[in-house]
Amino acid sequence: MKKYKCKIYLTALFCFVSFSGWAQEDSLAIYMLSAVRDNPAVIAEYHSYKSLAIACIGSGQLNDPEVNIGVFPKAMQHADSKQILTVSVMQMFPWFGTLKAGRQMQEWKAEAAYQKFREDGIALVYDVQQQWYDILATQEQIKSVQRNLKILKDIEKTALYQYKTAYGAKNARLSDQLRLQAEEARLDEQIESLQDKEKLQRQQFNLLMHRSADSSLSFPDTMKLREMPIVDWPQLERDNPRLQQLLAQGKMYDAQADMVKGQGRPMIGIGLEYMLNGRVDMPVMPSMNGMDMLMPMLKVTLPIYRKKTEAGIKSARLMKESTVFDYQRQQDMLRSQYLSIEQQATDAKREILLYNKEMNLLDRTLQLMMTEYANGTTSLTDILQTSRENIDYALKQFETQAKYNILVAEYEKLASKYDYVQK
């Protein structure tokens, strides 16, 4: 079985990416690698796999030979000698192919653990991307509310100018100032709430990478929409760790059935016994007096109790059938998940276009309403209502953009695109 050097690979790859220009431009790639390298859950899975891989070295070996020593405190008298000591060595040999089947069973068990390790690493990369885009969405929402707050402050200056000058005396009202200040206070509170949310998201993002919660992070200023990858189903199924894990488990049960079948066959033991004898006074055959003896031995087990063997073989075959059905079920689930992602991504793109259009119209409307308000042809109530609608659309737009990018990341998870764990 191949020896996997996952930890060395991850460290080397992380160093390479960290010092490359590509990584400096895309800090998300660095954070994904950092999480895979340092996250305790993934490290635990790696050690679980590694322990099984090391256990394969000792599997498929013969049992230790047996040594028996018999000492006679008072020598046993025979016709031509007296028996003082016996020493025997016996080595048992299982049926042909049994040891090989046992070793293969352990190797496929380690392979299944390796695929579980891969699965957890890929899932962790998806979690990093999900939290990344949630943070970017919150950043964009904060900037959107701040832009609308600035517009209200500009309107407040206009209202104050009207109130203090004769030019707008008949259109100006002190209540407009108070209403604008109340609306600005509401937006200030909304900004603080979003900033607290972003702080918590950043702390959780650091903890996901097993870093201090308040470690510094680097994020781009804007969030761009990603392209949905093209589907390659044969490659997707070949790379999917869950499917590969089920295949490995199926082969493990095949090897288990072969091993149980071999254990149900006779075992052969080959040994040697040495007898240390002393001399006697009146031997029957003087030439044999006190002569030591060496005796070859042969031992064969009789596997006549067949129920345990038949039950073991049947159990292994049933488990193999179970993995076959699980494999088919997992294939259906993968296709169902992709269809769901495709449908949700289509809806998200349509919503993003709608929100962009609505926001552009509302931005232009607010600019016109500011002029109209200065001329006294628009009420403050209409402006505040339009501002709130603009903020609501902005919040929804950036939430939907993050949702779309997370859907792309979810598809990449299904396709095992960011598989930083390699053999």
Side-chain angles (χ1 to χ4, degrees), residues 118-162:
R118 280 187 62 221
E119 184 179 19
D120 288 352
I122 293 169
L124 178 63
V125 169
Y126 167 74
D127 291 339
V128 171
Q129 293 183 83
Q130 184 180 32
Q131 293 194 19
W132 169 273
Y133 291 118
D134 285 340
I135 293 173
L136 289 182
T138 304
Q139 286 184 171
E140 295 283 10
Q141 289 173 339
I142 292 172
K143 289 188 289 185
S144 177
V145 178
Q146 288 173 337
R147 283 195 299 269
N148 279 271
L149 178 60
K150 183 178 181 302
I151 293 174
L152 290 184
K153 289 185 178 296
D154 291 340
I155 296 174
E156 183 184 7
K157 292 178 182 178
T158 301
L160 182 61
Y161 175 79
Q162 286 183 332

Side-chain angles (χ1 to χ4, degrees), residues 120 123 126 217 278 282 312 332:
D120 288 352
Y126 167 74
L217 294 168
M282 298 178 64
D332 294 337

Side-chain angles (χ1 to χ4, degrees), residues 227-289:
E227 292 292 332
M228 183 68 71
I230 300 174
V231 181
D232 182 359
W233 277 112
Q235 187 64 38
L236 185 149
E237 292 181 353
R238 285 193 297 270
D239 293 339
N240 185 267
R242 181 58 183 157
L243 292 178
Q244 295 304 311
Q245 182 182 1
L246 290 170
L247 288 177
Q249 288 176 346
K251 293 178 180 178
M252 179 189 72
Y253 292 127
D254 284 338
Q256 180 180 341
D258 292 339
M259 183 187 69
V260 173
K261 187 184 299 182
Q263 290 174 343
R265 302 286 178 82
M267 293 183 66
I268 300 174
I270 299 176
L272 196 64
E273 184 173 11
Y274 174 75
M275 289 178 287
L276 177 64
N277 298 319
R279 299 178 66 86
V280 294
D281 294 335
M282 298 178 64
V284 176
M285 299 178 65
S287 62
M288 300 288 291
N289 188 15

